[in-house]
Amino acid sequence: MANAITKTETGKAEVLVDRVFFDSTVQTENDTLAIEEPVEIRIGFYEKGKFTNRAISITMRTPGSDFELAAGFLFTEGIIKSSEEIAGIKYCGKIDQPKNTVRVDLIESTIIDFKKLERHFYTTSSCGVCGKSSIEALSTGAQPIDNNTFHLGPEFDVHSMPEKLRKAQTVFDETGGLHAAGLFNAQGDLLETKEDVGRHNAVDKLIGSQLLKNNLPLDDKILFLSGRASFELVQKAVMARIPLIAAVSAPSSLAVKAAEEFNITLLGFVRDQKFNVYTGSQRILKKLINES
């Protein structure tokens, strides 16, 4: 059965499906899908005094928060160091075409190291920066995070984070097909949530939003992930100076290695009233021991 997919609103679409029940009865109903579309990220910059622009990445993403996604990508990849280097962000292309090209114009004094962009021009929504397998190959020049700049508040409850994030996943409720990244403070309050078909996109949208609000560094915040913790998500957290990452699912071996190197506290399998501490136990266990 082939049916046309109809977009309903940002991030969602509808399609007719045959729903089969346990007694083999079949009903034709509308099903809501998460939209996955390509976005091309371009940068506008000055080269020898002349303004030009260049495509630097294409990724599959869920439409919405595209400006935050582009800004977050440039920051977490180490292309820009602050929002002050951004002169403006806009959609490109013809008026009657989908808004699937975003251009970030940089101020004239911005120096671009294009070697940092020599990864994969095309990335899927799931893999992010595929093809690189070592911390050295993906080094962004970040420094380890200080142990003494982050302290969990007395109200902080690790076990409350999954439910708080889940309640904020509005598009997931209807589609069941999106990842989420949530930013919490040290007291355990959820400050902002971003959703996307790609884990790395959700994190870039979240960090990009905070970048454009001039809230970086996020050295007193917590990143909570609705899925697994991969290396590149740890890398992005390092760039934003986030000291604690918690994930509903497992971390990868390289994520643990990176978290150890950059002194990040990494929690995995945060669900069902338990979790694993993979790195940086001094930040979390000290609080738990004091409470017991």
Side-chain angles (χ1 to χ4, degrees), residues 90-126:
K90 64 182 180 180
Y91 286 108
C92 300
K94 297 179 180 179
I95 296 176
D96 58 344
Q97 290 182 338
K99 294 181 177 180
N100 285 337
T101 301
V102 176
R103 196 179 84 196
V104 182
D105 292 340
L106 306 178
I107 61 174
E108 188 168 359
S109 59
T110 302
I111 299 174
I112 302 172
D113 182 1
F114 283 107
K115 289 185 178 180
K116 292 183 178 180
L117 294 171
E118 291 176 357
R119 299 187 182 181
H120 276 266
F121 179 80
Y122 177 86
T123 62
T124 69
S125 57
S126 59

Side-chain angles (χ1 to χ4, degrees), residues 133 135 228-231 234 250-260 266 278-279:
S133 59
I135 292 177
R228 65 182 178 87
S230 63
F231 164 74
V234 174
S252 68
S253 61
L254 197 57
V256 173
K257 184 177 179 182
E260 185 74 37
L266 179 60
Y278 291 91
T279 61

